[in-house]
Amino acid sequence: MKKILVIHGPNLSLLGKREPGIYGKQTLEKINKDLKDLAKKAKVSLTIMQSNHEGEIVDAIGNSRSSYDALIINPAAYTHTSVAIRDAIAAAAVKTIEVHLSNIYAREEFRQNSLVAPVCVGSISGFGAESYYLAFSAVLSLLKIQKN
Ligand code: DQA
């Protein structure tokens, strides 16, 4: 069974309450439940974590090297600042998809640069919670798993 890891970065545990005009009303719990349902249907194993700590995220990516087939990551604010997370993705050599709820390219200038984008297979940005489901679908395609 293929194994997928989803990493949610800082402040994403507050989804639903946090700036809903930008990030939507969907809670992280609901997104995670939907992803679990999709994983069950596709018969893949899914692990989900959320962390506000850069080092913890770096550790999780590093550990994914031999244990996961693909990674979906919303690095949140670390997208724009973390060379460490970018280097961890490059070092892990696990197929990685970058996700953002908001369209980072339509926001403040400091959000328009993603340090992780160049080391990811691709990025999905701007579709709210749907960004995660699109990323999941992209992962299934990458891993050549048939979608139901
Ligand atoms: C975000 C966009 C980031 O700029 C921001 O810091 C976040 C969330 C998104 O999903 O739209 O925390 O990654």
Side-chain angles (χ1 to χ4, degrees), residues 6 8 11-20 23-36 48 50 74 101 128-133:
V6 174
H8 303 289
N11 301 310
L12 293 172
S13 52
L14 299 173
L15 281 183
K17 298 187 270 263
R18 176 192 180 205
E19 299 181 90
Y23 299 116
K25 288 190 184 145
Q26 190 98 285
T27 63
L28 193 62
E29 289 70 28
K30 173 73 165 73
I31 291 172
N32 289 344
K33 190 194 169 298
D34 291 346
L35 288 172
K36 285 274 178 194
I48 302 177
Q50 188 275 327
N74 183 347
L101 297 128
E130 191 71 28
S131 290
Y132 282 99
Y133 315 142

mmCIF file of all heavy atoms in Angstrom, residues 6 8 11-20 23-36 48 50 74 101 128-133:
data_model
loop_
_atom_site.group_PDB
_atom_site.id
_atom_site.type_symbol
_atom_site.label_atom_id
_atom_site.label_comp_id
_atom_site.label_asym_id
_atom_site.label_seq_id
_atom_site.Cartn_x
_atom_site.Cartn_y
_atom_site.Cartn_z
ATOM 1 N N VAL A 6 0.758 14.042 4.969
ATOM 2 C CA VAL A 6 0.280 15.424 4.835
ATOM 3 C C VAL A 6 0.823 16.229 6.013
ATOM 4 O O VAL A 6 0.671 15.818 7.166
ATOM 5 C CB VAL A 6 -1.265 15.500 4.832
ATOM 6 C CG1 VAL A 6 -1.731 16.956 4.838
ATOM 7 C CG2 VAL A 6 -1.835 14.772 3.624
ATOM 8 N N HIS A 8 0.679 19.979 7.758
ATOM 9 C CA HIS A 8 0.101 21.322 7.858
ATOM 10 C C HIS A 8 1.027 22.164 8.735
ATOM 11 O O HIS A 8 1.353 21.768 9.857
ATOM 12 C CB HIS A 8 -1.257 21.292 8.552
ATOM 13 C CG HIS A 8 -2.278 20.395 7.916
ATOM 14 N ND1 HIS A 8 -2.866 20.672 6.712
ATOM 15 C CD2 HIS A 8 -2.846 19.237 8.339
ATOM 16 C CE1 HIS A 8 -3.766 19.729 6.427
ATOM 17 N NE2 HIS A 8 -3.761 18.848 7.392
ATOM 18 N N ASN A 11 -0.193 27.681 12.422
ATOM 19 C CA ASN A 11 -1.482 28.392 12.505
ATOM 20 C C ASN A 11 -2.624 27.730 11.742
ATOM 21 O O ASN A 11 -3.760 28.203 11.784
ATOM 22 C CB ASN A 11 -1.341 29.860 12.049
ATOM 23 C CG ASN A 11 -0.326 30.606 12.892
ATOM 24 O OD1 ASN A 11 -0.400 30.561 14.110
ATOM 25 N ND2 ASN A 11 0.634 31.262 12.261
ATOM 26 N N LEU A 12 -2.341 26.637 11.057
ATOM 27 C CA LEU A 12 -3.413 26.007 10.277
ATOM 28 C C LEU A 12 -4.391 25.243 11.180
ATOM 29 O O LEU A 12 -5.510 24.952 10.753
ATOM 30 C CB LEU A 12 -2.822 25.106 9.186
ATOM 31 C CG LEU A 12 -2.068 25.906 8.110
ATOM 32 C CD1 LEU A 12 -1.338 24.979 7.153
ATOM 33 C CD2 LEU A 12 -3.006 26.831 7.329
ATOM 34 N N SER A 13 -3.998 24.992 12.429
ATOM 35 C CA SER A 13 -4.948 24.373 13.371
ATOM 36 C C SER A 13 -6.106 25.329 13.667
ATOM 37 O O SER A 13 -7.141 24.915 14.175
ATOM 38 C CB SER A 13 -4.237 23.996 14.667
ATOM 39 O OG SER A 13 -3.549 25.119 15.157
ATOM 40 N N LEU A 14 -5.916 26.601 13.338
ATOM 41 C CA LEU A 14 -6.963 27.604 13.611
ATOM 42 C C LEU A 14 -7.918 27.806 12.435
ATOM 43 O O LEU A 14 -8.773 28.698 12.460
ATOM 44 C CB LEU A 14 -6.310 28.953 13.962
ATOM 45 C CG LEU A 14 -5.408 28.950 15.204
ATOM 46 C CD1 LEU A 14 -4.702 30.289 15.349
ATOM 47 C CD2 LEU A 14 -6.223 28.642 16.448
ATOM 48 N N LEU A 15 -7.750 27.000 11.402
ATOM 49 C CA LEU A 15 -8.623 27.159 10.227
ATOM 50 C C LEU A 15 -10.092 27.105 10.629
ATOM 51 O O LEU A 15 -10.470 26.322 11.500
ATOM 52 C CB LEU A 15 -8.353 26.060 9.193
ATOM 53 C CG LEU A 15 -7.141 26.239 8.299
ATOM 54 C CD1 LEU A 15 -7.082 25.104 7.288
ATOM 55 C CD2 LEU A 15 -7.169 27.581 7.585
ATOM 56 N N GLY A 16 -10.888 27.920 9.966
ATOM 57 C CA GLY A 16 -12.305 28.013 10.332
ATOM 58 C C GLY A 16 -12.542 29.272 11.146
ATOM 59 O O GLY A 16 -13.498 29.997 10.916
ATOM 60 N N LYS A 17 -11.601 29.514 12.097
ATOM 61 C CA LYS A 17 -11.713 30.727 12.916
ATOM 62 C C LYS A 17 -10.767 31.809 12.422
ATOM 63 O O LYS A 17 -10.974 32.991 12.618
ATOM 64 C CB LYS A 17 -11.322 30.412 14.373
ATOM 65 C CG LYS A 17 -12.225 29.393 15.036
ATOM 66 C CD LYS A 17 -11.901 29.264 16.507
ATOM 67 C CE LYS A 17 -10.881 28.236 16.779
ATOM 68 N NZ LYS A 17 -10.997 26.962 17.155
ATOM 69 N N ARG A 18 -9.679 31.396 11.774
ATOM 70 C CA ARG A 18 -8.605 32.289 11.396
ATOM 71 C C ARG A 18 -8.907 32.989 10.068
ATOM 72 O O ARG A 18 -8.991 32.328 9.038
ATOM 73 C CB ARG A 18 -7.335 31.456 11.251
ATOM 74 C CG ARG A 18 -6.147 32.209 10.776
ATOM 75 C CD ARG A 18 -5.027 31.251 10.388
ATOM 76 N NE ARG A 18 -3.887 32.012 9.933
ATOM 77 C CZ ARG A 18 -2.967 31.561 9.108
ATOM 78 N NH1 ARG A 18 -3.024 30.321 8.673
ATOM 79 N NH2 ARG A 18 -1.990 32.332 8.730
ATOM 80 N N GLU A 19 -9.052 34.311 10.095
ATOM 81 C CA GLU A 19 -9.272 35.099 8.875
ATOM 82 C C GLU A 19 -10.108 34.327 7.831
ATOM 83 O O GLU A 19 -9.630 34.060 6.720
ATOM 84 C CB GLU A 19 -7.929 35.499 8.270
ATOM 85 C CG GLU A 19 -7.086 36.355 9.207
ATOM 86 C CD GLU A 19 -5.764 36.767 8.577
ATOM 87 O OE1 GLU A 19 -5.720 37.821 7.931
ATOM 88 O OE2 GLU A 19 -4.771 36.024 8.722
ATOM 89 N N PRO A 20 -11.373 34.010 8.166
ATOM 90 C CA PRO A 20 -12.180 33.173 7.253
ATOM 91 C C PRO A 20 -12.374 33.790 5.871
ATOM 92 O O PRO A 20 -12.571 33.059 4.894
ATOM 93 C CB PRO A 20 -13.512 33.003 7.985
ATOM 94 C CG PRO A 20 -13.518 34.014 9.074
ATOM 95 C CD PRO A 20 -12.100 34.330 9.406
ATOM 96 N N TYR A 23 -9.042 32.427 4.350
ATOM 97 C CA TYR A 23 -8.763 30.985 4.388
ATOM 98 C C TYR A 23 -10.008 30.102 4.380
ATOM 99 O O TYR A 23 -9.887 28.873 4.350
ATOM 100 C CB TYR A 23 -7.890 30.663 5.615
ATOM 101 C CG TYR A 23 -6.559 31.382 5.583
ATOM 102 C CD1 TYR A 23 -6.221 32.336 6.542
ATOM 103 C CD2 TYR A 23 -5.642 31.137 4.555
ATOM 104 C CE1 TYR A 23 -5.012 33.013 6.493
ATOM 105 C CE2 TYR A 23 -4.436 31.814 4.496
ATOM 106 C CZ TYR A 23 -4.127 32.750 5.470
ATOM 107 O OH TYR A 23 -2.931 33.422 5.410
ATOM 108 N N GLY A 24 -11.194 30.732 4.425
ATOM 109 C CA GLY A 24 -12.423 29.943 4.366
ATOM 110 C C GLY A 24 -12.902 29.516 5.745
ATOM 111 O O GLY A 24 -12.250 29.762 6.760
ATOM 112 N N LYS A 25 -14.060 28.860 5.754
ATOM 113 C CA LYS A 25 -14.715 28.506 7.022
ATOM 114 C C LYS A 25 -14.469 27.051 7.412
ATOM 115 O O LYS A 25 -14.860 26.606 8.486
ATOM 116 C CB LYS A 25 -16.225 28.750 6.907
ATOM 117 C CG LYS A 25 -16.547 30.233 6.886
ATOM 118 C CD LYS A 25 -18.033 30.497 7.010
ATOM 119 C CE LYS A 25 -18.319 31.987 6.884
ATOM 120 N NZ LYS A 25 -19.575 32.272 6.198
ATOM 121 N N GLN A 26 -13.867 26.323 6.510
ATOM 122 C CA GLN A 26 -13.630 24.895 6.753
ATOM 123 C C GLN A 26 -12.589 24.707 7.862
ATOM 124 O O GLN A 26 -11.551 25.356 7.836
ATOM 125 C CB GLN A 26 -13.085 24.304 5.447
ATOM 126 C CG GLN A 26 -12.994 22.828 5.405
ATOM 127 C CD GLN A 26 -14.202 22.254 4.698
ATOM 128 O OE1 GLN A 26 -15.276 22.223 5.266
ATOM 129 N NE2 GLN A 26 -14.026 21.827 3.470
ATOM 130 N N THR A 27 -12.871 23.833 8.816
ATOM 131 C CA THR A 27 -11.882 23.575 9.877
ATOM 132 C C THR A 27 -10.843 22.570 9.384
ATOM 133 O O THR A 27 -11.083 21.819 8.426
ATOM 134 C CB THR A 27 -12.558 22.991 11.132
ATOM 135 O OG1 THR A 27 -13.133 21.731 10.773
ATOM 136 C CG2 THR A 27 -13.629 23.926 11.683
ATOM 137 N N LEU A 28 -9.716 22.537 10.093
ATOM 138 C CA LEU A 28 -8.675 21.574 9.732
ATOM 139 C C LEU A 28 -9.173 20.141 9.975
ATOM 140 O O LEU A 28 -8.857 19.230 9.208
ATOM 141 C CB LEU A 28 -7.392 21.834 10.537
ATOM 142 C CG LEU A 28 -6.152 21.104 10.018
ATOM 143 C CD1 LEU A 28 -5.805 21.558 8.601
ATOM 144 C CD2 LEU A 28 -4.961 21.321 10.939
ATOM 145 N N GLU A 29 -9.974 19.975 11.035
ATOM 146 C CA GLU A 29 -10.517 18.640 11.354
ATOM 147 C C GLU A 29 -11.333 18.111 10.174
ATOM 148 O O GLU A 29 -11.237 16.953 9.796
ATOM 149 C CB GLU A 29 -11.427 18.695 12.597
ATOM 150 C CG GLU A 29 -10.715 18.922 13.918
ATOM 151 C CD GLU A 29 -10.126 20.329 14.082
ATOM 152 O OE1 GLU A 29 -10.662 21.292 13.472
ATOM 153 O OE2 GLU A 29 -9.118 20.461 14.798
ATOM 154 N N LYS A 30 -12.141 19.008 9.567
ATOM 155 C CA LYS A 30 -12.994 18.597 8.444
ATOM 156 C C LYS A 30 -12.126 18.251 7.228
ATOM 157 O O LYS A 30 -12.366 17.249 6.542
ATOM 158 C CB LYS A 30 -13.984 19.735 8.128
ATOM 159 C CG LYS A 30 -14.820 19.521 6.888
ATOM 160 C CD LYS A 30 -15.905 18.458 7.090
ATOM 161 C CE LYS A 30 -16.965 18.472 6.018
ATOM 162 N NZ LYS A 30 -16.571 17.958 4.729
ATOM 163 N N ILE A 31 -11.133 19.094 6.972
ATOM 164 C CA ILE A 31 -10.242 18.821 5.832
ATOM 165 C C ILE A 31 -9.569 17.464 6.033
ATOM 166 O O ILE A 31 -9.510 16.633 5.123
ATOM 167 C CB ILE A 31 -9.187 19.943 5.685
ATOM 168 C CG1 ILE A 31 -9.863 21.239 5.226
ATOM 169 C CG2 ILE A 31 -8.072 19.538 4.718
ATOM 170 C CD1 ILE A 31 -8.968 22.463 5.234
ATOM 171 N N ASN A 32 -9.072 17.228 7.255
ATOM 172 C CA ASN A 32 -8.385 15.963 7.535
ATOM 173 C C ASN A 32 -9.327 14.768 7.378
ATOM 174 O O ASN A 32 -8.942 13.726 6.850
ATOM 175 C CB ASN A 32 -7.783 15.987 8.942
ATOM 176 C CG ASN A 32 -6.587 16.921 9.020
ATOM 177 O OD1 ASN A 32 -6.031 17.307 7.997
ATOM 178 N ND2 ASN A 32 -6.195 17.276 10.225
ATOM 179 N N LYS A 33 -10.578 14.951 7.807
ATOM 180 C CA LYS A 33 -11.546 13.853 7.693
ATOM 181 C C LYS A 33 -11.810 13.553 6.215
ATOM 182 O O LYS A 33 -11.843 12.392 5.798
ATOM 183 C CB LYS A 33 -12.856 14.225 8.406
ATOM 184 C CG LYS A 33 -13.781 13.044 8.517
ATOM 185 C CD LYS A 33 -15.200 13.421 8.892
ATOM 186 C CE LYS A 33 -16.134 12.231 8.719
ATOM 187 N NZ LYS A 33 -16.240 11.734 7.334
ATOM 188 N N ASP A 34 -11.978 14.626 5.432
ATOM 189 C CA ASP A 34 -12.213 14.444 3.991
ATOM 190 C C ASP A 34 -11.026 13.729 3.336
ATOM 191 O O ASP A 34 -11.204 12.850 2.486
ATOM 192 C CB ASP A 34 -12.430 15.805 3.308
ATOM 193 C CG ASP A 34 -13.753 16.448 3.713
ATOM 194 O OD1 ASP A 34 -14.610 15.751 4.289
ATOM 195 O OD2 ASP A 34 -13.919 17.661 3.449
ATOM 196 N N LEU A 35 -9.801 14.131 3.735
ATOM 197 C CA LEU A 35 -8.608 13.500 3.153
ATOM 198 C C LEU A 35 -8.554 12.019 3.539
ATOM 199 O O LEU A 35 -8.204 11.163 2.709
ATOM 200 C CB LEU A 35 -7.332 14.216 3.628
ATOM 201 C CG LEU A 35 -7.090 15.611 3.034
ATOM 202 C CD1 LEU A 35 -5.912 16.290 3.725
ATOM 203 C CD2 LEU A 35 -6.822 15.531 1.525
ATOM 204 N N LYS A 36 -8.902 11.724 4.782
ATOM 205 C CA LYS A 36 -8.916 10.318 5.246
ATOM 206 C C LYS A 36 -9.916 9.499 4.426
ATOM 207 O O LYS A 36 -9.642 8.363 4.040
ATOM 208 C CB LYS A 36 -9.302 10.242 6.730
ATOM 209 C CG LYS A 36 -8.175 10.688 7.663
ATOM 210 C CD LYS A 36 -7.233 9.523 7.960
ATOM 211 C CE LYS A 36 -6.077 9.959 8.850
ATOM 212 N NZ LYS A 36 -4.975 9.008 8.920
ATOM 213 N N ILE A 48 -1.339 12.264 8.845
ATOM 214 C CA ILE A 48 -1.502 13.725 8.821
ATOM 215 C C ILE A 48 -0.895 14.308 10.087
ATOM 216 O O ILE A 48 -1.122 13.787 11.189
ATOM 217 C CB ILE A 48 -3.001 14.110 8.752
ATOM 218 C CG1 ILE A 48 -3.659 13.482 7.519
ATOM 219 C CG2 ILE A 48 -3.157 15.631 8.725
ATOM 220 C CD1 ILE A 48 -5.160 13.743 7.402
ATOM 221 N N GLN A 50 0.188 18.291 12.052
ATOM 222 C CA GLN A 50 0.226 19.761 12.023
ATOM 223 C C GLN A 50 1.261 20.193 13.045
ATOM 224 O O GLN A 50 1.341 19.638 14.137
ATOM 225 C CB GLN A 50 -1.151 20.339 12.393
ATOM 226 C CG GLN A 50 -1.296 21.861 12.200
ATOM 227 C CD GLN A 50 -0.797 22.685 13.396
ATOM 228 O OE1 GLN A 50 -0.895 22.266 14.540
ATOM 229 N NE2 GLN A 50 -0.256 23.862 13.120
ATOM 230 N N ASN A 74 1.499 22.042 3.295
ATOM 231 C CA ASN A 74 1.200 23.476 3.328
ATOM 232 C C ASN A 74 2.138 24.061 4.383
ATOM 233 O O ASN A 74 1.840 23.986 5.576
ATOM 234 C CB ASN A 74 -0.262 23.734 3.703
ATOM 235 C CG ASN A 74 -0.592 25.224 3.673
ATOM 236 O OD1 ASN A 74 0.314 26.060 3.607
ATOM 237 N ND2 ASN A 74 -1.867 25.563 3.732
ATOM 238 N N LEU A 101 -4.214 27.387 0.709
ATOM 239 C CA LEU A 101 -5.648 27.673 0.598
ATOM 240 C C LEU A 101 -5.858 28.949 -0.202
ATOM 241 O O LEU A 101 -6.715 29.016 -1.088
ATOM 242 C CB LEU A 101 -6.253 27.839 1.994
ATOM 243 C CG LEU A 101 -6.176 26.582 2.867
ATOM 244 C CD1 LEU A 101 -5.553 26.906 4.194
ATOM 245 C CD2 LEU A 101 -7.541 25.976 3.046
ATOM 246 N N GLY A 128 -8.979 27.350 -1.655
ATOM 247 C CA GLY A 128 -9.496 27.084 -0.318
ATOM 248 C C GLY A 128 -9.203 25.643 0.078
ATOM 249 O O GLY A 128 -8.184 25.061 -0.338
ATOM 250 N N ALA A 129 -10.124 25.035 0.842
ATOM 251 C CA ALA A 129 -9.919 23.649 1.286
ATOM 252 C C ALA A 129 -9.728 22.712 0.087
ATOM 253 O O ALA A 129 -9.000 21.719 0.150
ATOM 254 C CB ALA A 129 -11.109 23.196 2.117
ATOM 255 N N GLU A 130 -10.375 23.066 -1.019
ATOM 256 C CA GLU A 130 -10.297 22.264 -2.247
ATOM 257 C C GLU A 130 -8.830 22.079 -2.711
ATOM 258 O O GLU A 130 -8.503 21.081 -3.354
ATOM 259 C CB GLU A 130 -11.128 22.964 -3.332
ATOM 260 C CG GLU A 130 -11.378 22.180 -4.589
ATOM 261 C CD GLU A 130 -12.344 21.009 -4.403
ATOM 262 O OE1 GLU A 130 -13.218 21.063 -3.526
ATOM 263 O OE2 GLU A 130 -12.191 20.012 -5.134
ATOM 264 N N SER A 131 -7.977 23.036 -2.378
ATOM 265 C CA SER A 131 -6.552 22.908 -2.750
ATOM 266 C C SER A 131 -5.981 21.584 -2.245
ATOM 267 O O SER A 131 -5.181 20.934 -2.922
ATOM 268 C CB SER A 131 -5.714 24.058 -2.166
ATOM 269 O OG SER A 131 -6.005 25.280 -2.798
ATOM 270 N N TYR A 132 -6.389 21.195 -1.019
ATOM 271 C CA TYR A 132 -5.884 19.925 -0.460
ATOM 272 C C TYR A 132 -6.412 18.725 -1.251
ATOM 273 O O TYR A 132 -5.687 17.760 -1.483
ATOM 274 C CB TYR A 132 -6.309 19.767 0.994
ATOM 275 C CG TYR A 132 -5.492 20.577 1.971
ATOM 276 C CD1 TYR A 132 -5.955 21.791 2.464
ATOM 277 C CD2 TYR A 132 -4.247 20.129 2.415
ATOM 278 C CE1 TYR A 132 -5.216 22.537 3.364
ATOM 279 C CE2 TYR A 132 -3.499 20.868 3.323
ATOM 280 C CZ TYR A 132 -3.984 22.066 3.797
ATOM 281 O OH TYR A 132 -3.248 22.793 4.687
ATOM 282 N N TYR A 133 -7.700 18.789 -1.649
ATOM 283 C CA TYR A 133 -8.283 17.645 -2.361
ATOM 284 C C TYR A 133 -7.671 17.530 -3.766
ATOM 285 O O TYR A 133 -7.449 16.419 -4.271
ATOM 286 C CB TYR A 133 -9.817 17.751 -2.419
ATOM 287 C CG TYR A 133 -10.444 18.139 -1.086
ATOM 288 C CD1 TYR A 133 -11.538 18.997 -1.011
ATOM 289 C CD2 TYR A 133 -9.917 17.658 0.119
ATOM 290 C CE1 TYR A 133 -12.097 19.370 0.208
ATOM 291 C CE2 TYR A 133 -10.465 18.028 1.349
ATOM 292 C CZ TYR A 133 -11.548 18.886 1.381
ATOM 293 O OH TYR A 133 -12.087 19.259 2.592
#
